């Protein structure tokens, strides 16, 4: 069977690699002085809206009372998850979040720390973990839907350590997964995985569609693909 080429555009938007997306992000922040917290807020709001839509349309449940478990890594993908957790809590969902503990010497990126505090202040129950056994007992099994904020475009190589353990626990739970930016374990540029990955019901990709998400072989991992505009001005988007 001939391999289908990945299209250059999707829904009228340029399809980008992780490196291209990172360059656009840096331009927005450092040249146009758009606050990274603003981008993260828009990202999390988009993820929350798509989670609500999924709950209503596919689970037949309103967002009020929806049981949501958010798994966050220690990068910005986790920060997007923390914003989504707060927004869903404000909409009446019952939200718990877990976040991988920071490397002692480095801490979290500033936007992640800020959104960790804001999520807690909004009443989200947040557990910091350095081992999967520290997750509350029914954290995954008691949820209606899981949000995957473990790995985004900053993923490098095969998932390892606690990230790997959490991906496997989420996979085994058989709960529907909403992936933030991309399903953890799926390569942003190729759509391939290395054996540790999630199959999302919905992937909410941020800013622009990532190349790997459009590969024919990735469709079973990506689920429904939604692109959320997080406020990158059109003049910094590549022309394709
Ligand atoms: N301005 C914004 O706020 C903004 C804009 C655009 C996108 N985003 C979001 O941020 C994401 C990118 O954030 P990011 O660059 O901070 O990266 P990330 O995708 O959040 O991933 C970085 C984290 O993953 C860990 N990691 C990477 N590869 C791993 C592996 N193979 N196994 C286990 N752990 C691994 C890193 O560990 P170490 O700590 O050990 O390095 C690091 O903690 C995007 O996908 C999007 O969701 C945010």
């Amino acid at each position: 069977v001939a391999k289908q080429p990945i299209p250059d555009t999707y829904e009228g938007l340029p399809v980008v690699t992780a490196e291209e997306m990172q360059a656009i992000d840096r331009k927005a922040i450092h040249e146009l002085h758009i606050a990274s917290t603003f981008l993260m807020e828009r990202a999390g709001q988009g993820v929350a809206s798509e989670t609500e839509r999924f709950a209503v349309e596919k689970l037949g449940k309103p967002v009020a009372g929806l049981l949501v478990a958010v798994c966050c890594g220690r990068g910005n993908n986790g920060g997007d998850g923390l914003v989504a957790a707060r927004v869903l809590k404000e909409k009446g969902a019952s939200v718990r979040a877990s976040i991988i503990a920071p490397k002692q010497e480095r801490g979290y990126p500033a936007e992640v720390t800020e959104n960790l505090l804001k999520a807690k202040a909004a009443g989200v129950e947040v557990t910091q973990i350095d081992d999967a056994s520290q997750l509350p007992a029914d954290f995954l099994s008691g949820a209606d839907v899981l949000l995957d904020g473990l790995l985004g475009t900053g993923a490098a190589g095969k998932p390892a350590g606690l990230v790997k353990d959490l991906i496997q626990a989420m996979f085994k739970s058989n709960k529907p997964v909403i992936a933030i930016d991309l399903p953890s374990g799926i390569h942003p540029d190729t759509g391939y995985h290395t054996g540790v990955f999630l199959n999302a019901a919905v992937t909410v990709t941020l800013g622009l569609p990532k190349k790997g998400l459009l590969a024919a072989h990735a469709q079973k991992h990506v689920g429904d693909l939604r692109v959320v505009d997080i406020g990158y001005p059109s003049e910094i988007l590549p022309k394709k």
Side-chain angles (χ1 to χ4, degrees), residues 22-41:
Q22 285 155 0
I24 293 164
D25 196 53
R26 277 197 300 273
K27 225 179 203 175
I29 295 169
H30 299 294
E31 292 179 23
L32 302 183
H33 306 289
I34 297 173
S36 59
T37 46
F38 166 82
L39 297 168
M40 191 172 278
E41 189 68 26

Side-chain angles (χ1 to χ4, degrees), residues 106-215:
R106 263 198 280 163
Y108 294 119
E111 307 87 323
V112 174
T113 302
E114 179 180 329
N115 282 302
L116 178 59
L117 296 173
K118 282 170 105 171
K120 282 184 180 167
V124 176
E125 195 189 302
V126 187
T127 312
Q128 247 183 58
I129 57 171
D130 38 33
D131 190 282
S133 65
Q134 294 163 347
L135 282 181
D138 61 345
F139 185 80
L140 300 174
S141 62
D144 294 317
V145 64
L146 311 181
L147 264 55
D148 161 30
L150 291 172
L151 294 174
T153 53
K158 192 172 174 163
L162 180 49
V163 167
K164 173 185 174 182
D165 295 344
L166 291 173
I167 291 173
Q168 289 177 330
M170 290 171 79
F171 189 101
K172 272 198 213 132
S173 77
N174 265 322
K175 297 287 180 177
V177 171
I178 311 282
I180 302 174
D181 213 15
L182 45 105
S184 291
I186 302 301
H187 193 287
D189 301 343
T190 66
Y192 286 114
H193 64 76
T194 56
V196 179
F197 62 95
L198 287 172
N199 289 327
V202 180
T203 294
V204 185
T205 200
L206 306 168
L208 294 173
K210 314 300 174 298
K211 202 172 166 191
L213 301 177
L214 296 173

Side-chain angles (χ1 to χ4, degrees), residues 17-71:
T17 62
E19 197 181 322
E20 288 174 315
M21 192 72 250
Q22 285 155 0
I24 293 164
D25 196 53
R26 277 197 300 273
K27 225 179 203 175
I29 295 169
H30 299 294
E31 292 179 23
L32 302 183
H33 306 289
I34 297 173
S36 59
T37 46
F38 166 82
L39 297 168
M40 191 172 278
E41 189 68 26
R42 291 274 299 254
Q45 280 170 2
V47 171
S49 299
E50 292 299 340
T51 303
E52 177 173 8
R53 182 214 290 254
F54 175 79
V56 171
E57 291 181 3
K58 298 285 159 66
L59 304 178
K61 292 189 180 182
V63 68
L66 187 73
L67 304 173
V68 184
V70 188
C71 292

